[in-house]
């Protein structure tokens, strides 16, 4: 049985619901009764089928996607063999594969298996002290990532989960039609930006709640965990700053600025704090009225500074994906790359001036 349609994308296929149980029961029967099938299902890197073609073990697509998600969301790398072992032990339980009996056929077997695998691997990561305990997903600790999906996929999700909801039109305009905020407000008679943000947040929370309860869609593809990451930079980054300083000024003022007898971790954290502080001065969110008397221009400059600082910090300090930042500021990738390049030029000029003044 070819299971590719079940485990590559994580969403339900057009498979009729009354076939889920029959398909799932066949997987379960084979797992319970054949050790060779279990080995191929969980562990074999490649196997030759009846046509002589080689393919990976059956959980390979699911496993690859989840390993990628864990790296993206938590910065941890899980070895494929470890992943397979964790999932196998979870399902093997006391030697009877008893957890498989909880599969009720409400979704495809692989959609169900993804939830089991995520819980098992997250529990292992917590027990190994590799991540904080964030195993239980809620509306509050997740965020929507619908813009990473196609408009047609967003349409399917919203139409299915938000049918009859007063937020259906708003979410469709945002994630399917992808209209500018001003146009959405005009179409839906939303009075101001504050009212728009409140409605958007409420609608997104309703959708997140529906996704977390749904057996039709795999929330891993459209929800991201809000993790409490401590933003740091690598020791290599600090070393690059030091080398750059030495090359430009002949001395290294890092020790004078950050203090002496610091650990690498302390230097990294102080570097991050310095960069955030420096960027706040470079792109101030508040402009003194004495520097710009025109009220409208002052407001526009403050708004622009806030956006520019966000772009620079996300790209330079956090190394956030340019696609993700572009979506956040509602521009395309080309515009963002150009803007970030100009912001970096401004930073380089300012930081050189700072280095020279502190190296004097």
């Amino acid at each position: 049985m070819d299971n590719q349609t079940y485990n590559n994308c994580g969403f339900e296929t057009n498979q009729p619901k009354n076939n889920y149980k029959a398909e799932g029961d066949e997987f379960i029967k084979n797992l319970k009764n054949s050790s060779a099938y279990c080995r191929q299902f969980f562990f074999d890197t490649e196997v030759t089928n009846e046509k002589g073609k080689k393919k990976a073990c059956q959980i390979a697509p699911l496993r690859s996607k989840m390993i990628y998600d864990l790296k993206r969301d938590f910065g941890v790398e899980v070895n494929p063999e470890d992943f397979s072992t964790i999932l196998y032990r979870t399902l093997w339980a006391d030697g009877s594969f008893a957890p498989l009996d909880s599969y009720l056929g409400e979704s495809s077997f692989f959609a169900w298996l993804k939830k089991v695998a995520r819980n098992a691997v997250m529990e292992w990561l917590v027990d190994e002290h590799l991540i904080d305990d964030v195993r239980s997903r809620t509306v509050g600790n997740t965020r929507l990532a619908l813009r990473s999906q196609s408009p047609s996929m967003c349409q399917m999700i919203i139409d299915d989960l938000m049918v009859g909801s007063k937020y259906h039109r708003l979410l469709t305009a945002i994630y399917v039609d992808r209209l500018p905020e001003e146009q959405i407000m005009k179409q839906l008679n939303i009075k101001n930006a504050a009212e728009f943000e409140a409605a958007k947040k409420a609608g997104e929370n309703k959708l997140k709640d529906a996704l977390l309860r749904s057996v039709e869609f795999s929330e891993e593809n459209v929800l991201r965990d809000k993790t409490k990451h401590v933003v740091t930079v690598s020791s290599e980054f600090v070393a690059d700053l030091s080398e750059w300083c030495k090359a430009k000024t002949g001395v290294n003022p890092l020790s004078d600025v950050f203090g002496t007898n610091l650990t690498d971790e302390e230097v990294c954290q102080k570097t991050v704090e310095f960069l955030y502080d420096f960027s706040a001065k470079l792109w101030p969110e508040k402009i003194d009225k004495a520097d710009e008397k025109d009220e409208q221009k002052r407001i526009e400059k403050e708004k622009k500074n806030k956006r520019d600082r966000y772009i620079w910090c996300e790209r330079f300090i956090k190394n956030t994906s340019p696609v993700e930042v572009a979506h956040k500021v509602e521009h395309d990738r080309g515009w963002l790359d150009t803007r970030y390049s100009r912001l970096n030029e401004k930073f380089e000029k300012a930081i050189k001036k700072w280095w020279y003044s502190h190296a004097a």
Side-chain angles (χ1 to χ4, degrees):
M1 177 187 313
D2 188 354
N3 65 296
Q4 289 291 88
T5 56
Y6 296 100
N7 60 12
N8 272 342
C9 66
F11 289 105
E12 295 307 318
T13 65
N14 292 325
Q15 183 79 2
K17 288 187 179 182
N18 58 3
N19 283 350
Y20 286 154
K21 190 70 167 65
E23 296 282 357
D25 285 347
E26 185 172 348
F27 282 117
I28 293 170
K29 177 184 176 181
N30 289 333
L31 287 169
K32 287 185 173 183
N33 295 294
S34 172
S35 58
Y37 183 86
C38 279
R39 184 177 63 254
Q40 189 276 319
F41 189 90
F42 290 105
F43 296 103
D44 283 355
T45 54
E46 59 182 28
V47 64
T48 303
N49 62 17
E50 64 277 5
K51 296 182 180 180
K53 295 182 179 180
K54 291 183 176 182
K55 62 179 181 180
C57 66
Q58 287 174 288
I59 67 164
L62 176 155
R63 183 178 61 190
S64 297
K65 178 63 167 62
M66 288 191 65
I67 288 175
Y68 170 81
D69 289 344
L70 289 167
K71 173 67 174 177
R72 177 199 62 209
D73 294 338
F74 299 98
V76 294
E77 294 188 19
V78 178
N79 182 282
E81 186 173 348
D82 288 339
F83 183 100
S84 293
T85 300
I86 294 165
L87 181 55
Y88 172 76
R89 287 177 177 172
T90 300
L91 295 175
W92 175 247
D94 59 357
S96 65
F97 278 114
L100 290 172
D101 296 333
S102 64
Y103 173 69
L104 301 177
E106 296 177 339
S107 64
S108 77
F109 180 70
F110 282 93
W112 174 84
L113 192 63
K114 284 188 74 171
K115 294 180 182 294
V116 174
R118 184 182 190 278
N119 290 336
V121 174
M122 292 293 284
E123 182 175 1
W124 179 80
L125 290 170
V126 171
D127 290 343
E128 293 294 314
H129 305 291
L130 296 174
I131 64 171
D132 293 330
D133 193 346
V134 289
R135 280 170 282 175
S136 298
R137 278 184 161 182
T138 66
V139 170
N141 66 19
T142 56
R143 61 183 177 83
L144 281 175
L146 282 177
R147 289 190 182 275
S148 64
Q149 303 296 324
S150 66
S152 60
M153 180 60 74
C154 294
Q155 181 80 70
M156 181 173 67
I157 294 170
I158 293 171
D159 285 350
D160 189 79
L161 298 180
M162 301 298 286
V163 60
S165 169
K166 65 179 181 180
Y167 300 109
H168 181 277
R169 287 182 62 198
L170 175 63
L171 294 175
T172 299
I174 295 171
Y175 292 111
V176 180
D177 302 328
R178 305 194 176 184
L179 301 175
E181 180 179 321
E182 294 77 9
Q183 188 173 345
I184 296 174
M185 291 170 61
K186 185 177 181 180
Q187 285 186 2
L188 302 183
N189 296 317
I190 298 176
K191 298 177 182 178
N192 51 53
E195 184 179 320
F196 173 83
E197 287 299 325
K200 179 183 176 183
K201 182 177 181 180
E204 289 179 337
N205 285 344
K206 289 287 186 182
L207 181 55
K208 286 192 290 183
D209 181 65
L211 279 164
L212 290 167
R213 297 172 184 272
S214 173
V215 296
E216 301 298 321
F217 298 100
S218 177
E219 81 275 4
E220 281 86 356
N221 289 318
V222 289
L223 288 181
R224 300 287 183 268
D225 294 287
K226 289 181 180 177
T227 55
K228 296 181 180 180
H229 292 303
V230 176
V231 181
T232 61
V233 293
S234 67
S235 56
E236 288 80 6
F237 180 90
V238 178
D240 288 343
L241 275 179
S242 298
E243 290 302 317
W244 182 88
C245 179
K246 289 177 183 178
K248 297 295 183 180
T249 67
V251 295
N252 184 359
L254 277 177
S255 60
D256 293 332
V257 176
F258 298 153
T260 58
N261 300 320
L262 298 177
T263 65
D264 288 344
E265 183 178 354
E266 288 172 328
V267 172
C268 287
Q269 187 57 40
K270 286 184 177 293
T271 301
V272 170
E273 293 170 0
F274 164 77
L275 290 173
Y276 275 117
D277 181 64
F278 192 86
S279 64
K281 295 174 181 177
L282 202 57
W283 296 287
E285 290 190 17
K286 294 296 181 181
I287 297 176
D288 195 286
K289 291 183 178 181
D291 297 326
E292 179 55 70
K293 296 181 180 180
D294 188 296
E295 180 70 9
Q296 186 59 39
K297 287 183 178 180
R298 184 171 60 83
I299 293 174
E300 290 176 359
K301 284 182 179 180
E302 289 176 346
K303 184 177 180 180
K304 182 180 177 182
N305 280 353
K306 183 177 181 181
R307 180 203 64 191
D308 285 349
R309 183 178 179 234
Y310 169 82
I311 291 172
W312 186 85
C313 289
E314 289 294 316
R315 294 292 296 117
F316 190 89
I317 301 175
K318 294 185 179 182
N319 196 30
T320 303
S321 160
V323 175
E324 183 176 341
V325 179
H327 281 153
K328 184 68 176 179
V329 298
E330 298 182 342
H331 282 282
D332 59 37
R333 169 70 184 275
W335 180 93
L336 180 82
D337 289 343
T338 300
R339 188 65 192 163
Y340 176 57
S341 176
R342 291 174 180 172
L343 296 176
N344 249 345
E345 289 178 6
K346 182 175 182 178
F347 167 75
E348 288 175 4
K349 289 179 181 178
I351 200 68
K352 284 179 182 179
K353 184 178 180 181
W354 183 90
W355 280 127
Y356 282 115
S357 66
H358 282 74

